Amino acid sequence: MAIKYDVRPRLGIRFSLPVNILMFIGFLVISPLLLFLFLVLITIGVQPLLALTLTLGSLLTSYINVVVAEVTYYVPFNPFTDFMKLFPIPIIIQRIDKLFLEVNIGGAVIPTIISIYLISTYIIHGTLILISFMASLIISSLIIWQSARLIPGIGITLPPALPVLLTLMFTLISTAILHANPLAFSYSLGSLSTLLGADILNIRKVIRSMRGYVSIGGAGVFDGIYMTGLMSLILASLYKVLL
């Protein structure tokens, strides 16, 4: 029997502290890299506030989640299975389960806002560059969507190197042929394609299979959106320095 569920909008804030030892170790490991990347961005002319937000801002706000929807499941089940074998009386009880859909500030909101800013500042004014970016975004998102897998109790997983390789390939093509800004192109493409392909396009699978709290972009240091954006920045920064 199919499970019935209702989706209702809900607004709230939930803080998820980095109690996981792996996330704490990840923060310690990645901190020197963030400092180095911040200095590189400043050196190549990125505004200090933007550089700080790109590097440390997303990480520090990755433990703030905004609840945007509440899903209520009505699961029919019969706790009197053995009793029913002797006395076939139709006794059906509904169990209610909950799922809270969240959007992570550092892992989803900030990358999206920064991507929109970079697109409107460096990409949208060039018609060919904008067409190239939109085509790259669609292709990358579809490839990531097809490669993503839902693991119940864990969430959406995908090959970790795939978004970075796709971003690098399309950025190199657009930069070499159309002279696109590598920082704006790579960060926006990497962040948005991972957000769309891994999270947004799989939201129905998540609703059908997950329970409890599910946060888009909420894996902290190890979130695919954050890591893809970070690696894209590193590669684009190196490319820009070598130009």
Side-chain angles (χ1 to χ4, degrees):
M1 185 179 295
I3 299 176
K4 297 181 180 180
Y5 62 85
D6 295 326
V7 180
R8 292 183 299 175
R10 176 173 175 174
L11 186 61
I13 296 179
R14 187 177 71 91
F15 297 91
S16 55
L17 297 178
V19 295
N20 191 316
I21 187 63
L22 290 177
M23 298 183 76
F24 179 72
I25 294 175
F27 178 81
L28 294 180
V29 171
I30 207 171
S31 295
L33 179 62
L34 293 178
L35 178 59
F36 171 75
L37 181 58
F38 173 76
L39 296 176
V40 171
L41 292 175
I42 295 297
T43 302
I44 60 179
V46 177
Q47 297 178 0
L49 181 59
L50 178 60
L52 185 63
T53 306
L54 286 170
T55 55
L56 196 58
S58 290
L59 185 59
L60 291 178
T61 56
S62 64
Y63 305 106
I64 305 175
N65 300 286
V66 178
V67 182
V68 294
E70 176 184 346
V71 185
T72 303
Y73 303 88
Y74 304 98
V75 186
F77 77 107
N78 186 358
F80 310 107
T81 305
D82 295 332
F83 179 77
M84 289 288 294
K85 294 177 181 178
L86 299 175
F87 305 96
I89 304 174
I91 301 176
I92 298 177
I93 300 176
Q94 281 191 337
R95 186 180 75 242
I96 297 178
D97 291 337
K98 294 281 189 178
L99 170 68
F100 296 94
L101 286 176
E102 303 174 332
V103 178
N104 187 264
I105 297 296
V109 176
I110 289 181
T112 301
I113 293 175
I114 293 178
S115 297
I116 293 174
Y117 168 76
L118 293 175
I119 292 170
S120 62
T121 303
Y122 299 102
I123 295 178
I124 199 172
H125 302 295
T127 303
L128 292 179
I129 296 176
L130 180 61
I131 293 174
S132 175
F133 178 82
M134 295 305 298
S136 302
L137 179 60
I138 293 172
I139 295 172
S140 297
S141 299
L142 291 176
I143 293 176
I144 293 172
W145 174 52
Q146 290 296 320
S147 303
R149 296 293 179 267
L150 175 63
I151 301 179
I154 297 179
I156 301 295
T157 63
L158 66 154
L162 179 62
V164 177
L165 291 177
L166 290 171
T167 300
L168 177 62
M169 179 182 67
F170 286 118
T171 299
L172 288 176
I173 293 173
S174 298
T175 303
I177 298 177
L178 303 175
H179 305 289
N181 185 297
L183 287 172
F185 198 99
S186 63
Y187 181 87
S188 302
L189 176 61
S191 299
L192 295 180
S193 63
T194 307
L195 176 64
L196 292 172
D199 291 340
I200 302 300
L201 294 180
N202 287 292
I203 197 67
R204 301 187 99 182
K205 293 182 181 178
V206 170
I207 291 177
R208 289 197 298 263
S209 304
M210 302 288 287
R211 300 295 185 270
Y213 291 91
V214 175
S215 180
I216 297 175
V221 175
F222 301 106
D223 180 69
I225 303 171
Y226 175 74
M227 287 304 299
T228 302
L230 183 64
M231 292 305 298
S232 300
L233 273 180
I234 294 173
L235 295 174
S237 299
L238 294 175
Y239 181 78
K240 196 170 181 64
V241 168
L242 295 176
L243 284 178

